[in-house]
Amino acid sequence: PGAISPFTGKVKNANSVWMNGQVLDKDIAALLGREVRIANDANCLAVSEATDGAGAGMPVVFAVIIGTGCGSGIAFNGSAHAGGNGLAG
């Protein structure tokens, strides 16, 4: 959980607080020597459901994750809508 800030490129709002303020995607890419893409888990869920899950083919899919924390994501036409702060859901 959490998101990469579109303003700083750093993790924010992660429940694993050690990740906050880190350029996690770039750090992992450097360690692996390959491109890495990171996205909010709820946004990934929304895109997954919109492309090949229960919402396949629907123009708008809203997904909610309820576990140790709560989060939500939204997909328009199969693409995550992150909003201005990276957490539109």
Side-chain angles (χ1 to χ4, degrees):
I4 304 291
S5 168
F7 303 107
T8 66
K10 297 179 180 180
V11 176
K12 66 177 196 162
N13 302 328
N15 64 348
S16 296
V17 295
W18 61 269
M19 289 192 289
N20 290 322
Q22 304 300 315
V23 286
L24 188 63
D25 53 345
K26 292 181 179 29
D27 288 344
I28 293 174
L31 287 169
L32 297 176
R34 62 182 301 161
E35 178 185 6
V36 171
R37 290 178 277 172
I38 295 177
N40 176 267
D41 60 335
N43 287 349
C44 292
L45 170 62
V47 170
S48 177
E49 290 298 328
T51 56
D52 61 3
M58 301 301 291
V60 179
V61 173
F62 177 72
V64 177
I65 294 177
I66 300 173
T68 56
C70 297
S72 61
I74 189 165
F76 293 113
N77 299 314
S79 295
H81 177 66
N85 292 311
L87 300 166

